[in-house]
Amino acid sequence: MDHRPIGVFDSGLGGLTAVRELEKQMPQESIIYFGDTGRVPYGSRSREIITRYARQDVAFLRSFDLKAVVIACGTVSTTAIDVLRSEQDIPVFGVVEPSARRAAELTRNGKIGLIATRASISTGAYERAIHALNPGAEIFPIACPLFVPLVENGRTQPGDVVIETVVKDYLAPLKAAGVDVLVLGCTHYPLLREVIGAFMGQSVALVDSGAEVAHAVGRWLSDHDAVAENGHSGLHRWCVSDSQQGFRELASRFLGRPVTEPVELVDIEQY
Ligand code: DGL
């Protein structure tokens, strides 16, 4: 048993899709969330900048006594996980391996679509992880740089002509290729599940990278006797690097519940 909190971070609010699943699966776990809302998006930045930001995010989280760190961000998971793992003495989870495992399990025709930020796609990390499990899989990667700003601005609902047009424009080649699995390789994208699902059709399984990393954390905690005691309700701490009010307003949409706990402002450049 281990009552220490889990540290979770993302460039902004997308990582809350992982927290939502962690809360659902393991309500007894305490979570410290850092959203780098002052510097989002990461997905259009260079490897050097993403790595520097990610190191600062982890250094902030490690100012708490944690049992694990969750990189609830596709961009950091694809770009900087090896560096972060080599520098940390506690487990560091990323979204790539769990999502790749799920995609490899789900595909029937071996055609897997992958959507993520520009930075994530350019690393080839998802392809490598899927091919390690299913060398014959055909992978169709597409960078979708407009999705994160649209999601952060609340343009996620079916019937919203802006998001529907952008989804169609990005995903038409995947539909034409006949993929039967689509990896939502950025943790912001699960908020577009309805619009993406409606466009791709019911026969295409969607892999939610935030939910998959949460499942991987859950498995690891139980295998290592590191879960917090059942029956207790975990404490949550929300930390951001810009507008606390902005976070509070948008976060409930990602989390599926209102944020009632205080939201703290962090000067991330100090770390
Ligand atoms: N949630 C991040 C990801 O999974 C958002 C990307 C960004 O900051 O551009 O990649």
Side-chain angles (χ1 to χ4, degrees), residues 9-17 33 36 39-45 71-78 95 116-120 126 145 148-149 152 184-190 209 254:
F9 75 97
D10 178 43
S11 55
L13 291 101
L16 295 173
T17 57
Y33 184 84
D36 197 1
R39 303 189 296 193
V40 69
Y42 284 10
S44 45
R45 298 183 193 273
I71 309 172
C73 174
T75 304
V76 174
S77 300
T78 51
V95 301
T117 63
R118 219 174 243 144
S120 288
Y126 276 105
V148 168
E152 296 243 337
L184 309 181
C186 166
T187 51
H188 281 68
Y189 298 177
S209 50
F254 288 77

Side-chain angles (χ1 to χ4, degrees), residues 35-237:
D36 197 1
T37 51
R39 303 189 296 193
V40 69
Y42 284 10
S44 45
R45 298 183 193 273
S46 67
R47 174 181 290 269
E48 291 68 32
I49 296 284
I50 294 166
T51 305
R52 178 160 76 80
Y53 286 179
R55 276 186 161 136
Q56 289 178 310
D57 302 343
V58 173
F60 163 67
L61 286 174
R62 291 303 308 268
S63 62
F64 301 90
D65 183 19
L66 304 176
K67 61 180 167 188
V69 170
V70 178
I71 309 172
C73 174
T75 304
V76 174
S77 300
T78 51
T79 307
I81 194 165
D82 293 338
V83 175
L84 299 178
R85 277 186 174 151
S86 70
E87 293 172 351
Q88 299 303 318
D89 56 1
I90 56 173
V92 176
F93 295 90
V95 301
V96 175
E97 294 139 16
S99 307
R101 197 176 316 122
R102 188 89 182 114
E105 275 164 19
L106 285 172
T107 187
R108 297 284 162 258
N109 68 6
K111 294 183 180 186
I112 298 173
L114 164 67
I115 54 174
T117 63
R118 219 174 243 144
S120 288
I121 295 292
S122 73
T123 65
Y126 276 105
E127 283 103 310
R128 282 193 297 281
I130 296 170
H131 278 147
L133 299 159
N134 180 349
E138 230 184 314
I139 302 164
F140 300 85
I142 293 193
C144 303
L146 291 176
F147 279 176
V148 168
L150 286 169
V151 168
E152 296 243 337
N153 284 285
R155 308 302 292 262
T156 58
Q157 292 309 306
D160 181 323
V161 68
V162 176
I163 191 61
E164 287 191 340
T165 306
V166 176
V167 163
K168 188 170 163 207
D169 190 60
Y170 281 143
L171 304 190
L174 299 180
K175 202 169 172 175
V179 303
D180 69 350
V181 173
L182 176 59
V183 178
L184 309 181
C186 166
T187 51
H188 281 68
Y189 298 177
L191 268 88
L192 301 173
R193 177 180 267 281
E194 268 188 89
V195 181
I196 291 174
F199 177 72
M200 294 303 289
Q202 280 186 347
S203 58
V204 178
L206 304 182
V207 174
D208 175 334
S209 50
E212 293 307 327
V213 71
H215 297 151
V217 174
R219 280 193 297 273
W220 190 91
L221 292 179
S222 33
D223 290 351
H224 291 80
D225 193 23
V227 289
E229 197 178 344
N230 238 327
H232 285 243
S233 166
L235 298 173
H236 285 31
R237 234 171 134 149

